[in-house]
Amino acid sequence: VNNAGILRDKSFAKMELEDFRLVLDVHLMGSVHCCKAVWQHMQAAGYGRIVLTTSSSGLFGNFGQSNYGAAKMALVGLMQTLALEGAKYHIHVNALAPTAATRMTDGLMAPEVLRALRPELVCPAMLVLAHESAPTRTILCAGAGSFEASHITMTRGIHISTDCVPLADMDTRLAEQLPQLLDRQGDAVPDNGFVQADMEMRKALQKLH
């Protein structure tokens, strides 16, 4: 369970690059080093469970946390790839986005809010993600006794053929059809990074026929 973290919150305009790098080093590289240390042992054992700690600040953004958000979303990318590479070794890799009172939140919230956000109310989600029967490539959100799942999805999108639209005009046509492209009806959770290219090629080839 990778849970090391620090905060160096400032708006991007006021943030020093040193603070950006420091947050990335602790959150992202700290998790990378820990995962690397156990990875070969899990491969040899043919079993493993890894939980990475992401955040709603990474999944959805948060003002003043460009460094923290970038690091936390990077951990989701790490989870996605490690889960694929670990599958044949029965290594399951998941991510937890907790909402909890910690030393990082001291003095930032009212006492009654801090009581509702007791860390132990996040633990059930962590235990499920680390259990023998755990899913893999799953992002769970947890806080104050509530639990949700978050997904990175891809819309069905559109295809613009250069047979019909000159390349120089494609951006204009794309802008016109942006609402259709953004329509989330029928969106999907891709199995891997090749799904995008595969879907794009299939749409292009359908146009040819």
Side-chain angles (χ1 to χ4, degrees):
V1 178
N2 299 272
N3 197 40
I6 59 170
L7 291 175
R8 293 294 186 272
D9 292 355
K10 280 187 179 178
S11 67
F12 191 62
K14 297 178 180 177
M15 185 178 296
E16 299 292 335
L17 286 178
E18 289 76 11
D19 281 339
F20 205 105
R21 290 192 186 96
L22 177 62
V23 170
L24 284 173
D25 279 344
V26 172
H27 288 271
L28 176 58
M29 293 310 300
S31 297
V32 168
H33 288 303
C34 289
C35 290
K36 188 68 172 175
V38 301
W39 193 255
Q40 289 185 329
H41 298 289
M42 289 182 172
Q43 284 183 320
Y47 177 87
R49 297 292 182 267
I50 292 175
V51 181
L52 298 164
T53 305
T54 185
S55 169
S56 57
S57 295
L59 296 170
F60 313 115
N62 207 22
F63 190 93
Q65 292 194 314
S66 58
N67 50 4
Y68 183 76
K72 287 305 192 183
M73 197 58 180
L75 288 167
V76 174
L78 179 63
M79 174 204 76
Q80 300 277 23
T81 296
L82 291 185
L84 291 172
E85 294 184 3
K88 69 178 179 180
Y89 302 102
H90 304 290
I91 302 171
H92 292 191
V93 188
N94 296 293
L96 175 62
T99 306
T102 68
R103 284 177 294 175
M104 292 197 300
T105 59
D106 281 349
L108 299 179
M109 301 174 181
E112 62 272 18
V113 175
L114 294 175
R115 283 194 297 273
L117 293 175
R118 299 190 305 279
E120 54 264 36
L121 294 176
V122 171
C123 288
M126 181 274 292
L127 292 171
V128 165
L129 293 179
H131 193 266
E132 182 179 353
S133 62
T136 192
R137 294 185 71 196
T138 296
I139 305 168
L140 289 187
C141 308
S146 292
F147 306 93
E148 305 84 25
S150 183
H151 300 281
I152 298 172
T153 68
M154 185 171 65
T155 67
R156 297 175 65 86
I158 61 171
H159 181 267
I160 303 172
S161 173
T162 52
D163 293 337
C164 304
V165 180
L167 187 59
D169 296 332
M170 193 173 285
D171 58 333
T172 301
R173 178 64 64 87
L174 177 59
E176 292 170 350
Q177 295 188 270
L178 201 58
Q180 181 182 343
L181 183 156
L182 296 174
D183 183 359
R184 296 192 61 178
Q185 185 174 354
D187 64 358
V189 180
D191 292 331
N192 57 69
F194 291 109
V195 170
Q196 175 187 340
D198 180 65
M199 186 174 76
E200 290 167 347
M201 284 304 304
R202 282 191 287 108
K203 285 192 289 188
L205 292 173
Q206 285 171 1
K207 290 290 185 180
L208 292 176
H209 298 295

